[in-house]
Amino acid sequence: MEPAEEETAAAAVVQVDDADRLLMHKIERPVFSEAHLRSQLLHRKEKTTTLRQKLALHFQCSSQRAKAAVFSFLPILTWLPKYPVREYLFHDVVSGLSTGVVQLPQGLAYAMLAAVPPVYGLYSSFYPVLLYTFFGTSRHISIGTFAVISLMIGSVAVREVPDSYMPPTNGSNASAIFDVADRDARRVQVAVVLTTLVGIIQMILGLLRFGFVAIYLTEPLVRGFTTAAAVHVVVSQLKYLLGVKTKRFSGPLSVIFSIKAVLSDITSTNITTLILGLVCLVFLYAIKHLNERFKNKLPIPIPGEIIVVIVSTGVSYGMTLAANYKVDVVGEIPTGLLPPVAPDFSLLRTLVTDSFAIAIVGFSMGISLAKIFALKHNYSVDSNQEFIALGLCNFISSFFQTFTITCSMSRSLVQESTGGKTQIAGLLASLLVLLVIVAIGFVFEPLPQTALAAIIMVNLLGMFKQFRDIPTLWRTSKIELAIWLVTFAASVLLGLDYGLLFAIAFALLTVIYRTQSPKNAVLGQVADTGLYCEVDEYEEAVECEGIKIFHSNASIYFANSDLYVSALKEKTGVNPEHIQASRKARNKPKASSSLTCSLKRNAEEKDGETTHQVLPFNKTGGDQKNGCLTEGHGEADSEALVFRPSLGSVRFIILDWTHAGFIDSVGAKAVKQVIKEYAAVDVQVLIAGCNRSLLSELDRLQFFSEIVSPEMVFPTVHDAVLHCQHSQPNSAC
Amino acid sequence: MEPAEEETAAAAVVQVDDADRLLMHKIERPVFSEAHLRSQLLHRKEKTTTLRQKLALHFQCSSQRAKAAVFSFLPILTWLPKYPVREYLFHDVVSGLSTGVVQLPQGLAYAMLAAVPPVYGLYSSFYPVLLYTFFGTSRHISIGTFAVISLMIGSVAVREVPDSYMPPTNGSNASAIFDVADRDARRVQVAVVLTTLVGIIQMILGLLRFGFVAIYLTEPLVRGFTTAAAVHVVVSQLKYLLGVKTKRFSGPLSVIFSIKAVLSDITSTNITTLILGLVCLVFLYAIKHLNERFKNKLPIPIPGEIIVVIVSTGVSYGMTLAANYKVDVVGEIPTGLLPPVAPDFSLLRTLVTDSFAIAIVGFSMGISLAKIFALKHNYSVDSNQEFIALGLCNFISSFFQTFTITCSMSRSLVQESTGGKTQIAGLLASLLVLLVIVAIGFVFEPLPQTALAAIIMVNLLGMFKQFRDIPTLWRTSKIELAIWLVTFAASVLLGLDYGLLFAIAFALLTVIYRTQSPKNAVLGQVADTGLYCEVDEYEEAVECEGIKIFHSNASIYFANSDLYVSALKEKTGVNPEHIQASRKARNKPKASSSLTCSLKRNAEEKDGETTHQVLPFNKTGGDQKNGCLTEGHGEADSEALVFRPSLGSVRFIILDWTHAGFIDSVGAKAVKQVIKEYAAVDVQVLIAGCNRSLLSELDRLQFFSEIVSPEMVFPTVHDAVLHCQHSQPNSAC
């Protein structure tokens, strides 16, 4: 908040407060215990629908339901009949052509990431995009090839078919060129089967209504992951930019191996390639910058990528770079489409885990962008249908030799910013790609690979900006920073698939960590308000004589019940073992009974130098502190005190469970045990602020038995405090 | 609770209530908002200790600290000098001898589980037990061989050195007997290295104060795990009981393979072996039963196991069972101790993960028993020192060829019930074992293996009783039942190591699941009490006109923020998108504006047939339900209503965050977004019941900016409701 804003806010506060000050918070009612509430509150009748009725309702068939199902499966049926041609068509055409012009070079480039020949990138930019028009619910995202997914595909393809791959049928006598073609064909097979699997997984997850899985990919995780992907991509493209011929690596530590390989071979850099690549890089970066700067003035963004493709193709053709300067070019691009072929399912078994990772990442990229646009343009997307749509696009297209697609951020922004209104824009983009495939694909054969590498790298520069998250997260949340860094490090080092798994596991563990490191505090009352605050932090909070209120902001379950109990004993400074020990000691003249007291004092001193205000009890015990002096005063005194009730000491402990969401059997047992321990030394434990679902959990766990009863439970801390003060009539607060 | 008890409890309740009824809960204060509280509450001074001071304090050296460190590392120094010889010694001697008598047969038997020759079981029952006397803090647990740990060791040994193992140096020409001896020697090496590693890991974890790791092994998990271990043990012993010679399996599905192997070979059962085994089994079971039944009358439990060992050895020797009936016997037991040997660390790399699992399981078995006894006898154990003690016992002993130990439940119960007072009992037990090793070990050479199998099986019968947990858990907690079953199934099928890992991951995921499936509800006030309950469940809870109070009992973070927002929209029946849409529709005459209303009604009907009491607003709007009729009344009306403020509709939504423990940036963003969405349709969102640590998290996340300000936050729900009613003067509650 800027200082100026803050002032206004403060002014507003005063105003509101003035208005509120007239308004009194006034409650006057008997103190309720849970036992009383149980006798008073009437439960509404349970709903009487049986499981059978529910099932019947669920599987009820009606024409309306059937219609709704068809409409939700084929969203095009809902929007196309209502398509306002005059209003929308022009915008969709402009946007479609602009997107198509970006789709084309990205398709060629990302095929390199996927380790397949460029033409497959074009196929992948056509079939799925076409299909999405029918099944998709988002009007603005641009489906097609995407760097991160392509890279994941590529790393699997390279792992399954390494550079040293020998086709099983041909002997090793065949020529080197044949080997490369065979290897590429095999890699295409792997990519295609992977895509089929991804499609099947996405469809099944969508049908099972698993659209929620994307929530596990929290923002810091996704940002760390995409930054790591950018690192992978840049490293994998270095060799194309330099024109160095090195092996392609996959699996854990592949980044390091790749860099090492490129560096050790750096002397063989092809200068022409490097210069051409750098020129493209600088040009694209400048265009990107211009597009961002003059966003509002340009009718459509300058299509830098297609310019780079056309110009560099022209230069390459004109100067015959491939022959004269040994610049690597795209090479053969067959014209026309391929007939559908069933994928080679013999590869299936080794690819299942990879395809799960790719399916989830692809979906979550898609849905997060779709949601952003839906929010902006005020419509809604159905995450389950999106899952099914992506799955269908991948599944059906894979029969036509495509690799996995999802939506790409950069392209979607082009589609939206050039005024795209509906899925028609995507349709037109795909038709533009089709035109290239069937008519002029061969034109791009002299296109240098270094230009494609430049396109890929510039597209990912945005992701490197995400490093700026680090200082921001440092300030706002250390835990989220940890998620970011762990995700990044794991994804860079272990590879994107294992890295993602590791990152998700880590992110979930942070939740456990949060419940395990709750904030524990002793509360005191803010005079005459019925509000209770941490005595360590607020000067107004005053502890009541003889009552300790222990607050914790986490649920109590197996992983933190021990910590809860020990924090309780430490923070309140009342340890039943020590009291027990000191009582025993009183009966044995030799042992030192001041142990308890000194231990308690130590516990107190740990809390810092803050002196807690304890209001004088009964005007005589003013110098007693937590009843410690009475409890174990020294040997002579304690003998006399054995039978005197120690009134000044802590008689009640109130457990504030206002912030406990759930409890399990281990937690319930631990609490019950500690209640018993305290009861043995005449300290009564009360529980305050439980919500009703926690209470019914406690009932199920048979918590209320033996010495624990519902009249020890109070709806608010204030009720519990009043009850204590009533049972201990002389105390004040 | 029994009916009779219930009545007494009820009577007590009435009494307490009568007493309490005199006591009034009375609060009269202005309504506070967070903005006001911030201006009023004074923070205590921050503690000014810097990191350097803290470090200095932490690493301060003084003679007292050094002494304390030595005492905590060598607990024997604290208790031995004070040892009351006359009081304790007799009890310790009786207990020590009784324990030693159990230690002996268990050592021989569990060595079979660990896949090493029996004499190593005797070594493992001596060295570590002796060492624990010096380092251990628990006075009652009996350290030594333990079935589950021995089995884990055994499965690793068999995996590394399978039955088909061929020693690398000797060719395959060597005779079969030599091979078996070689194989066993190699298995001993594996077990010993594993033990060294376990010791090192336990020591390091103990020094790093990781004593808390045991908390992740929640009770249902441990019980499911030990039941699965019992299944493994019984299956592995079947072949000894039947005298069938089959391979020993390890790894996933080994249980199934083992059963299959035994069944397919069942025809070769050795009848003598089977009969002898069954007799031992029945005898041991009867003794166990007697011991339990006459627990209080018997001075020491009948040592059934040693009787079985002695008698069956005698029978075997007398009838020369090994030669005449081909009964498998223990075989050679060398007399005397072995000189210390450094473990063969070349095996280290493959064993690290296994040793982690064994270290953790061993420690948690030990600490849980130690805690039970400490609680019973009123002393305390130091879990970190226990970790170090176990580690030292394992590490040092492993140089003398032992396998991993921990404490055994059955033996510890013997030690405690026969009156053991201190670690002296364990010391004496170990000396008894020493006596056998150096003097009369060879006596046990004719002991049939089937008798040992019977000893192992009977010891584990208790664990099968844990199947009774299933119906109990079904009643108390479905989630804990799921943990039990998953742990059991995973540990049986995947093996104990992977099973344990899987089970821990599953147990932690259940915590995530709990936070993801919170109980959401709309609250209403119980008249004149300031208390708010679920309107769906309690008849007294009355909603305030124009105010919806949404309650959820979980923290809001990345994995549930989406669910929180959608639950909010569904439960309150106020969906900003629909309101927005219906408002737009009003301006377009053709579209149907009754959409919102019907959608809302649907949402309402889903809640069941319960009709929520909404008090009449202003005496005229009595038939309005959630303002739905006013909001979208039909086409004709809505046109007229466009500019009329919809007073009867929901104007305020109060988010009850009383039970939210923490929030992360994703959660904060989602809530902020929903506040904005509601603001766009003139519904104000207030937040109530945040604790102060949650508020400071919100501050760090810059939640209070733009349209969200601290004056929208109230310390209690009642404050927020009063504020709403004040801003909307005509409403009643």
Side-chain angles (χ1 to χ4, degrees):
Chain A
M1 216 189 262
E2 298 295 306
E5 273 182 71
E6 235 167 37
E7 263 174 44
T8 345
V13 171
V14 171
Q15 225 176 346
V16 170
D17 265 350
D18 281 349
D20 269 3
R21 203 141 305 153
L22 304 167
L23 177 63
M24 295 300 284
H25 176 126
K26 194 171 165 183
I27 295 177
E28 192 167 355
R29 60 167 171 83
V31 167
F32 294 146
S33 77
E34 177 58 22
H36 176 70
L37 282 177
R38 282 186 187 194
S39 66
Q40 294 297 311
L41 283 179
L42 299 177
H43 272 267
R44 285 191 199 270
K45 267 184 299 186
E46 287 286 316
K47 286 156 213 167
T48 49
T49 44
T50 62
L51 184 67
R52 208 173 140 188
Q53 282 171 311
K54 275 187 207 163
L55 285 176
L57 205 70
H58 192 74
F59 290 106
Q60 210 175 29
C61 238
S62 71
S63 66
Q64 211 163 10
R65 281 177 85 110
K67 213 169 140 188
V70 169
F71 276 176
S72 103
F73 180 68
L74 273 173
I76 195 172
L77 296 181
T78 52
W79 60 264
L80 196 62
K82 289 191 277 180
Y83 188 74
V85 178
R86 251 188 300 172
E87 251 180 279
Y88 279 7
L89 192 59
F90 174 72
H91 293 291
D92 275 344
V93 169
V94 171
S95 159
L97 295 181
S98 315
T99 316
V101 158
V102 184
Q103 192 85 262
L104 207 60
Q106 286 192 348
L108 291 170
Y110 292 160
M112 274 168 64
L113 282 180
V116 296
V119 71
Y120 295 97
L122 294 182
Y123 299 153
S124 305
S125 307
F126 165 61
Y127 292 105
V129 187
L130 185 71
L131 288 167
Y132 186 79
T133 315
F134 299 96
F135 300 113
T137 60
S138 170
R139 303 179 199 156
H140 295 92
I141 63 173
S142 167
I143 286 294
T145 54
F146 178 55
V148 175
I149 297 289
S150 305
L151 183 75
M152 289 174 88
I153 298 260
S155 72
V156 176
V158 171
R159 189 193 65 207
E160 294 295 315
V161 189
D163 282 349
S164 55
Y165 173 76
M166 289 291 162
T169 46
N170 303 3
S172 52
N173 311 346
S175 72
I177 293 167
F178 254 131
D179 273 357
V180 169
D182 274 354
R183 191 197 67 196
D184 281 353
R186 188 77 186 152
R187 281 186 183 167
V188 169
Q189 279 183 333
V190 170
V192 166
V193 175
L194 205 53
T195 305
T196 320
L197 269 178
V198 167
I200 292 171
I201 289 168
Q202 286 178 334
M203 280 191 292
I204 290 174
L205 290 180
L207 288 172
L208 293 177
R209 307 269 158 243
F210 265 54
F212 67 85
V213 293
I215 58 179
Y216 291 107
L217 305 183
T218 173
E219 205 189 322
L221 189 148
V222 169
R223 294 176 76 91
F225 181 73
T226 46
T227 313
V231 170
H232 275 283
V233 168
V234 167
V235 167
S236 76
Q237 295 308 302
L238 268 185
K239 66 172 189 173
Y240 296 108
L241 194 70
L242 298 173
V244 172
K245 282 181 188 58
T246 63
K247 239 175 85 179
R248 185 162 165 172
F249 296 87
S250 70
L253 299 183
S254 60
V255 164
I256 290 168
F257 293 134
S258 297
I259 293 180
K260 209 173 134 193
V262 168
L263 285 183
S264 67
D265 224 12
I266 196 119
T267 46
S268 66
T269 301
N270 183 323
I271 302 296
T272 324
T273 306
L274 180 60
I275 290 172
L276 187 61
L278 286 180
V279 168
C280 294
L281 208 64
V282 170
F283 174 76
L284 282 169
Y285 189 74
I287 295 286
K288 209 178 169 104
H289 192 70
L290 282 177
N291 278 339
E292 253 162 58
R293 188 142 175 204
F294 300 106
K295 210 190 234 166
N296 303 322
K297 291 185 188 160
L298 292 168
I300 57 167
I302 306 167
E305 294 174 348
I306 197 78
I307 296 175
V308 161
V309 167
I310 292 172
V311 171
S312 63
T313 306
V315 169
S316 171
Y317 184 72
M319 301 174 65
T320 50
L321 290 179
N324 296 353
Y325 298 90
K326 299 210 182 310
V327 172
D328 286 321
V329 296
V330 162
E332 199 195 359
I333 297 185
T335 304
L337 296 169
L338 297 176
V341 178
D344 175 7
F345 281 111
S346 66
L347 294 160
L348 207 132
R349 242 162 56 96
T350 48
L351 301 179
V352 172
T353 43
D354 301 297
S355 50
F356 256 102
I358 296 173
I360 303 279
V361 171
F363 168 68
S364 30
M365 295 288 161
I367 194 67
S368 59
L369 263 183
K371 277 190 177 164
I372 290 170
F373 287 126
L375 209 64
K376 191 170 166 192
H377 294 277
N378 225 337
Y379 61 93
S380 60
V381 290
D382 175 350
S383 61
N384 293 314
Q385 173 60 23
E386 278 299 293
F387 226 149
I388 297 174
L390 272 182
L392 276 171
C393 292
N394 279 322
F395 179 71
I396 299 177
S397 312
S398 71
F399 287 82
F400 299 94
Q401 314 276 301
T402 67
F403 56 85
T404 315
I405 49 80
T406 181
C407 81
S408 130
M409 176 113 178
S410 57
R411 247 183 2 252
S412 301
L413 281 173
V414 169
Q415 179 168 339
E416 193 246 8
S417 65
T418 51
K421 297 289 180 200
T422 64
Q423 289 90 325
I424 293 286
L427 179 70
L428 289 169
S430 75
L431 294 180
L432 187 71
V433 175
L434 177 65
L435 197 72
V436 172
I437 298 174
V438 297
I440 54 163
F442 63 91
V443 169
F444 296 112
E445 286 180 0
L447 172 61
Q449 289 184 346
T450 187
L452 292 178
I455 290 174
I456 294 173
M457 283 183 169
V458 171
N459 266 314
L460 286 166
L461 278 183
M463 288 189 180
F464 283 109
K465 287 190 194 141
Q466 294 178 143
F467 277 117
R468 290 187 206 146
D469 291 356
I470 297 176
T472 316
L473 288 174
W474 172 261
R475 281 193 304 276
T476 56
S477 168
K478 304 277 184 299
I479 290 181
E480 292 180 25
L481 177 64
I483 295 178
W484 197 104
L485 291 175
V486 166
T487 308
F488 177 76
S491 305
V492 165
L493 295 177
L494 300 178
L496 292 177
D497 36 8
Y498 290 111
L500 183 69
L501 258 179
F502 188 87
I504 291 176
F506 181 80
L508 292 180
L509 281 180
T510 61
V511 179
I512 306 285
Y513 170 77
R514 290 207 204 228
T515 64
Q516 271 194 289
S517 57
K519 223 191 145 188
N520 300 313
V522 171
L523 300 187
Q525 194 180 4
V526 180
D528 298 326
T529 60
L531 296 179
Y532 292 81
C533 289
E534 291 87 340
V535 285
D536 282 348
E537 282 186 31
Y538 297 100
E539 294 188 6
E540 287 77 11
V542 180
E543 282 192 69
C544 300
E545 185 69 33
I547 304 171
K548 283 276 175 188
I549 306 165
F550 178 71
H551 162 93
S552 170
N553 66 352
S555 303
I556 301 158
Y557 69 101
F558 66 86
N560 69 1
S561 60
D562 269 14
L563 303 173
Y564 181 82
V565 168
S566 55
L568 168 66
K569 288 178 184 169
E570 194 197 307
K571 283 271 176 184
T572 59
V574 188
N575 192 326
E577 276 170 36
H578 298 157
I579 296 178
Q580 197 71 276
S582 82
R583 285 197 185 172
K584 270 192 192 161
R586 278 190 216 119
N587 299 330
K588 288 187 189 173
K590 272 178 203 162
S592 147
S593 74
S594 64
L595 175 71
T596 321
C597 196
S598 68
L599 278 168
K600 273 197 208 165
R601 280 213 203 95
N602 281 342
E604 201 107 323
E605 275 156 18
K606 266 189 209 158
D607 288 359
E609 302 90 72
T610 57
T611 49
H612 303 173
Q613 297 179 39
V614 178
L615 288 196
F617 158 67
N618 213 8
K619 310 295 176 211
T620 60
D623 62 343
Q624 292 167 356
K625 196 176 176 190
N626 294 339
C628 192
L629 296 181
T630 320
E631 191 60 53
H633 204 290
E635 287 162 38
D637 272 3
S638 65
E639 288 292 309
L641 284 171
V642 171
F643 294 106
R644 201 183 109 184
S646 50
L647 276 179
S649 64
V650 173
R651 294 272 313 276
F652 295 97
I653 289 176
I654 297 171
L655 304 180
D656 178 8
W657 280 6
T658 313
H659 298 286
F662 62 87
I663 195 163
D664 72 353
S665 70
V666 178
K669 262 184 210 161
V671 171
K672 201 163 174 175
Q673 177 61 38
V674 89
I675 291 178
K676 277 186 205 162
E677 284 176 34
Y678 276 118
V681 295
D682 297 326
V683 174
Q684 207 190 336
V685 178
L686 306 176
I687 295 166
C690 285
N691 64 36
R692 304 215 68 79
S693 64
L694 188 64
L695 280 168
S696 52
E697 262 177 87
L698 287 174
D699 273 335
R700 263 201 308 282
L701 294 168
Q702 290 160 338
F703 181 71
F704 297 114
S705 59
E706 299 172 58
I707 63 161
V708 187
S709 71
E711 63 257 37
M712 290 161 63
V713 179
F714 296 84
T716 69
V717 175
H718 198 52
D719 281 296
V721 169
L722 291 173
H723 170 85
C724 296
Q725 288 175 333
H726 184 70
S727 338
Q728 181 191 17
N730 295 332
S731 83
C733 187
Chain B
M1 215 188 258
E2 297 294 309
E5 272 182 70
E6 235 165 39
E7 264 173 46
T8 346
V13 171
V14 171
Q15 225 176 349
V16 169
D17 265 351
D18 281 348
D20 268 1
R21 204 141 304 153
L22 304 166
L23 177 64
M24 296 300 284
H25 177 125
K26 195 170 165 184
I27 295 178
E28 193 168 353
R29 61 166 170 84
V31 166
F32 294 145
S33 77
E34 177 58 23
H36 176 71
L37 283 177
R38 281 184 189 195
S39 66
Q40 296 295 312
L41 283 180
L42 300 176
H43 273 267
R44 285 190 199 271
K45 268 184 297 184
E46 288 285 316
K47 287 158 211 162
T48 48
T49 44
T50 61
L51 185 68
R52 205 172 142 189
Q53 282 172 311
K54 275 186 206 161
L55 285 176
L57 206 70
H58 192 76
F59 290 106
Q60 210 175 31
C61 238
S62 69
S63 67
Q64 210 161 14
R65 282 176 83 112
K67 211 170 143 189
V70 169
F71 276 175
S72 104
F73 179 69
L74 272 172
I76 195 170
L77 295 181
T78 53
W79 60 264
L80 196 62
K82 289 191 277 181
Y83 188 76
V85 178
R86 250 188 302 173
E87 248 179 283
Y88 280 4
L89 192 60
F90 174 71
H91 294 289
D92 274 343
V93 168
V94 171
S95 161
L97 294 181
S98 315
T99 316
V101 159
V102 185
Q103 192 84 262
L104 207 59
Q106 286 191 349
L108 291 169
Y110 291 159
M112 273 168 66
L113 282 180
V116 296
V119 71
Y120 295 97
L122 294 182
Y123 298 154
S124 305
S125 307
F126 165 61
Y127 293 105
V129 187
L130 185 71
L131 288 167
Y132 186 79
T133 315
F134 298 95
F135 301 112
T137 60
S138 171
R139 302 179 199 156
H140 295 92
I141 63 173
S142 165
I143 286 294
T145 54
F146 177 55
V148 175
I149 297 289
S150 304
L151 183 74
M152 289 175 88
I153 298 259
S155 72
V156 176
V158 171
R159 189 194 66 208
E160 293 296 315
V161 189
D163 281 350
S164 55
Y165 173 76
M166 288 290 161
T169 46
N170 301 5
S172 51
N173 310 348
S175 72
I177 294 166
F178 253 131
D179 274 357
V180 169
D182 272 354
R183 192 197 66 196
D184 280 354
R186 188 79 184 150
R187 282 186 182 166
V188 170
Q189 279 184 331
V190 171
V192 166
V193 175
L194 206 52
T195 305
T196 319
L197 269 178
V198 168
I200 292 172
I201 290 168
Q202 285 178 334
M203 279 192 290
I204 290 175
L205 290 180
L207 288 172
L208 293 177
R209 305 271 158 240
F210 266 54
F212 66 86
V213 294
I215 58 178
Y216 291 108
L217 305 183
T218 172
E219 205 190 322
L221 190 149
V222 169
R223 294 176 75 91
F225 180 75
T226 45
T227 313
V231 170
H232 276 283
V233 168
V234 167
V235 168
S236 75
Q237 295 308 302
L238 267 184
K239 67 171 192 177
Y240 296 109
L241 194 69
L242 297 173
V244 173
K245 282 182 188 58
T246 62
K247 241 175 84 180
R248 186 162 166 172
F249 297 88
S250 70
L253 299 183
S254 61
V255 165
I256 291 169
F257 293 136
S258 296
I259 292 180
K260 211 174 128 190
V262 169
L263 286 184
S264 67
D265 224 13
I266 196 121
T267 47
S268 66
T269 301
N270 183 326
I271 301 296
T272 324
T273 306
L274 181 61
I275 290 172
L276 186 61
L278 286 180
V279 168
C280 294
L281 208 63
V282 170
F283 175 75
L284 282 169
Y285 189 74
I287 294 287
K288 206 175 171 107
H289 192 71
L290 281 177
N291 277 340
E292 253 162 57
R293 187 143 175 203
F294 300 105
K295 209 190 236 166
N296 304 322
K297 291 186 188 159
L298 292 167
I300 57 166
I302 306 167
E305 294 174 346
I306 197 76
I307 296 174
V308 162
V309 167
I310 293 172
V311 171
S312 62
T313 307
V315 169
S316 171
Y317 182 73
M319 300 173 67
T320 48
L321 290 180
N324 296 351
Y325 300 89
K326 299 214 182 308
V327 171
D328 287 321
V329 296
V330 161
E332 198 196 358
I333 297 184
T335 304
L337 295 170
L338 298 177
V341 177
D344 176 7
F345 281 111
S346 66
L347 293 160
L348 206 131
R349 241 162 55 95
T350 48
L351 302 179
V352 172
T353 43
D354 301 297
S355 50
F356 257 101
I358 296 172
I360 303 280
V361 172
F363 168 68
S364 30
M365 295 290 161
I367 194 70
S368 59
L369 263 183
K371 275 188 178 167
I372 290 170
F373 288 125
L375 208 63
K376 190 170 167 191
H377 294 278
N378 226 337
Y379 61 93
S380 61
V381 289
D382 175 350
S383 61
N384 293 314
Q385 174 59 24
E386 278 300 292
F387 227 150
I388 297 174
L390 273 181
L392 277 170
C393 292
N394 279 322
F395 178 72
I396 299 177
S397 312
S398 72
F399 287 82
F400 298 94
Q401 313 277 303
T402 67
F403 55 86
T404 315
I405 49 79
T406 181
C407 81
S408 133
M409 177 109 177
S410 57
R411 248 183 1 252
S412 301
L413 281 174
V414 169
Q415 179 168 341
E416 193 246 12
S417 65
T418 51
K421 298 289 179 201
T422 63
Q423 290 90 322
I424 293 287
L427 179 70
L428 288 170
S430 75
L431 293 180
L432 187 70
V433 175
L434 178 65
L435 197 73
V436 172
I437 299 174
V438 297
I440 55 162
F442 63 90
V443 168
F444 296 111
E445 286 181 3
L447 172 60
Q449 289 185 346
T450 187
L452 292 179
I455 290 174
I456 293 173
M457 283 184 169
V458 171
N459 264 315
L460 286 165
L461 277 182
M463 288 190 180
F464 283 109
K465 285 189 197 144
Q466 294 179 145
F467 277 117
R468 290 185 207 149
D469 291 354
I470 296 177
T472 316
L473 288 174
W474 171 260
R475 279 193 304 276
T476 57
S477 168
K478 304 279 183 298
I479 291 181
E480 291 179 27
L481 177 63
I483 295 178
W484 198 104
L485 291 175
V486 166
T487 307
F488 177 74
S491 305
V492 166
L493 295 177
L494 300 179
L496 292 177
D497 36 9
Y498 290 109
L500 183 68
L501 258 180
F502 188 87
I504 291 176
F506 181 80
L508 292 180
L509 281 180
T510 61
V511 180
I512 306 284
Y513 170 77
R514 290 205 204 230
T515 65
Q516 271 195 288
S517 56
K519 223 191 147 190
N520 300 312
V522 171
L523 302 187
Q525 194 182 3
V526 179
D528 298 325
T529 60
L531 296 179
Y532 291 81
C533 288
E534 291 87 339
V535 284
D536 283 349
E537 282 187 30
Y538 298 99
E539 293 187 8
E540 286 77 11
V542 180
E543 281 192 71
C544 299
E545 185 69 30
I547 304 171
K548 284 275 175 188
I549 305 165
F550 178 72
H551 162 93
S552 169
N553 66 352
S555 303
I556 300 158
Y557 70 101
F558 66 88
N560 69 1
S561 60
D562 270 12
L563 304 172
Y564 181 81
V565 168
S566 55
L568 168 65
K569 289 178 184 171
E570 194 197 307
K571 283 271 176 184
T572 59
V574 189
N575 192 325
E577 276 171 36
H578 298 156
I579 297 178
Q580 198 71 276
S582 82
R583 284 195 184 174
K584 270 191 191 163
R586 279 191 215 121
N587 300 329
K588 287 187 192 176
K590 272 177 201 163
S592 146
S593 74
S594 63
L595 176 71
T596 320
C597 197
S598 68
L599 277 167
K600 272 195 206 166
R601 280 214 204 94
N602 281 341
E604 200 105 322
E605 276 157 17
K606 267 187 208 157
D607 287 1
E609 300 93 73
T610 57
T611 49
H612 304 171
Q613 296 180 40
V614 177
L615 287 197
F617 158 66
N618 214 7
K619 308 295 174 212
T620 61
D623 60 343
Q624 293 167 355
K625 195 174 176 192
N626 292 341
C628 192
L629 297 181
T630 320
E631 192 60 53
H633 203 289
E635 287 162 39
D637 272 4
S638 65
E639 289 291 309
L641 285 171
V642 171
F643 294 107
R644 202 184 109 181
S646 49
L647 276 178
S649 63
V650 173
R651 295 271 314 275
F652 295 97
I653 290 177
I654 298 171
L655 304 180
D656 178 8
W657 280 7
T658 313
H659 299 287
F662 63 86
I663 195 163
D664 72 353
S665 70
V666 178
K669 263 183 211 162
V671 171
K672 202 163 174 175
Q673 177 61 36
V674 90
I675 291 178
K676 278 185 204 165
E677 285 176 34
Y678 276 117
V681 295
D682 297 326
V683 174
Q684 208 191 334
V685 178
L686 306 176
I687 295 166
C690 285
N691 63 36
R692 304 214 70 78
S693 63
L694 188 63
L695 280 168
S696 53
E697 261 178 87
L698 287 173
D699 273 335
R700 262 201 307 282
L701 294 167
Q702 289 160 340
F703 182 70
F704 297 115
S705 59
E706 299 172 58
I707 62 162
V708 187
S709 71
E711 63 258 37
M712 292 160 62
V713 178
F714 295 85
T716 70
V717 175
H718 199 52
D719 281 295
V721 169
L722 291 173
H723 170 84
C724 295
Q725 287 175 334
H726 185 68
S727 336
Q728 180 191 18
N730 296 330
S731 83
C733 189

